Amino acid sequence: MNANQFETLITELFPGITPEQISQFIEAEKAYREWNEKINVISRKDMDGIFAHHLLHSVGIAAYAGARLKGKNILDVGTGGGFPGIPLAILYPDSTFTLCDSIRKKTLVAENVAQSIGLKNVKVVNCRAESLPERYDWVVSRAVASLSDFLPWVKGRYKEGILFLKGGDINPEIAAAMARYKLPKGSVKSWKLTQCLKQEQFLGCEDDYSWFEEKFVIEL
């Protein structure tokens, strides 16, 4: 997926997106390429798929949650180089984002990418989520751990919920977390990204649409 294809697709997904926001996405791709040459946080093989596999994948949370994230205080746990936090911060300029990761070289990339594209609503912290004193409206994350391992990290640190990007066979993982923490039936929801991303939108793209067929947003 090239920049033009990404622009077309994200405009279809978010009709109210501004030219400035589109420009920030395009500049983010360039910044990640530059920083990945210095600090390898995205596999070099996957850099060619950054528009689809990282930027587009991250905004799947926004396609699912919609206006519920507007004007909120959001924590991204295990952000790595800034996913999903940076793409979401572009889409929600009136929300504040804290991007947290325990590995300094990763937060260094996230920090510099956010600065280079002019994001004013992002703070990057190099620490474990458990050490943060603040309570956030939402927690977001992208496949940083199993749900069972993840939930203790953010216990007591959110008011509204968790939005978690996961892939593969998620049902056993959800069932294990529900059993371990005695979560009530119906408290965990899953949503497939192909509900917003259609195969015809990928015509002419080198990226394999089937990659998205096993990607989900989990809410709890």
Side-chain angles (χ1 to χ4, degrees):
M1 179 175 291
N2 60 35
N4 290 335
Q5 291 165 336
F6 176 82
E7 180 177 346
T8 298
L9 203 156
I10 202 155
T11 302
E12 291 174 0
L13 282 176
F14 305 101
I17 195 169
T18 67
E20 180 184 1
Q21 288 171 308
I22 292 171
S23 177
Q24 284 178 312
F25 276 113
I26 305 305
E27 291 304 312
E29 187 266 351
K30 294 176 184 175
Y32 276 114
R33 286 189 180 278
E34 291 173 6
W35 273 96
N36 215 53
E37 290 297 318
K38 303 172 189 176
I39 302 174
N40 185 213
V41 294
I42 299 173
S43 72
R44 302 199 186 279
K45 180 181 178 182
D46 205 28
M47 275 304 301
D48 289 337
I50 189 170
F51 276 123
H53 295 172
H54 295 279
L55 297 171
L56 189 59
H57 184 214
S58 294
V59 301
I61 286 178
Y64 170 74
R68 290 188 291 162
L69 298 185
K70 286 186 176 181
K72 301 296 184 176
N73 189 14
I74 299 165
L75 172 65
D76 175 8
V77 175
T79 189
F83 301 108
I86 284 177
L88 292 175
I90 294 173
L91 285 179
Y92 296 101
D94 56 348
S95 298
T96 57
F97 289 81
T98 299
L99 278 54
C100 170
D101 202 285
S102 62
I103 300 174
R104 176 56 185 154
K105 73 172 187 177
K106 294 182 178 180
T107 58
L108 182 64
V109 172
E111 195 171 64
N112 279 277
V113 170
Q115 289 175 356
S116 71
I117 65 174
L119 285 178
K120 307 297 184 186
N121 59 336
V122 167
K123 177 173 72 172
V124 181
V125 292
N126 175 215
C127 67
R128 296 186 64 84
E130 301 96 313
S131 68
L132 292 169
E134 191 173 350
R135 197 160 178 245
Y136 301 84
D137 294 312
W138 288 91
V139 168
V140 299
S141 191
R142 189 173 80 141
V144 68
S146 70
L147 276 175
S148 292
D149 290 338
F150 183 79
L151 291 178
W153 300 351
V154 297
K155 185 179 180 181
R157 283 175 174 78
Y158 60 92
K159 304 170 189 174
E160 298 189 35
I162 299 171
L163 295 168
F164 201 67
L165 283 166
K166 264 289 186 175
D169 185 4
I170 61 171
N171 291 326
E173 184 172 329
I174 291 173
M178 291 183 71
R180 182 172 179 179
Y181 299 108
K182 298 180 173 58
L183 302 176
K185 186 177 181 180
S187 62
V188 182
K189 303 171 186 175
S190 64
W191 184 79
K192 208 168 188 179
L193 288 190
T194 51
Q195 290 185 237
C196 69
L197 298 174
K198 304 304 179 186
Q199 189 165 14
E200 55 267 25
Q201 292 173 305
F202 284 75
L203 292 175
C205 295
E206 293 181 1
D207 295 280
D208 183 5
Y209 173 77
S210 65
W211 186 85
F212 289 94
E213 292 176 344
E214 294 185 352
K215 302 298 178 184
F216 298 82
V217 177
I218 299 174
E219 178 183 359
L220 64 159

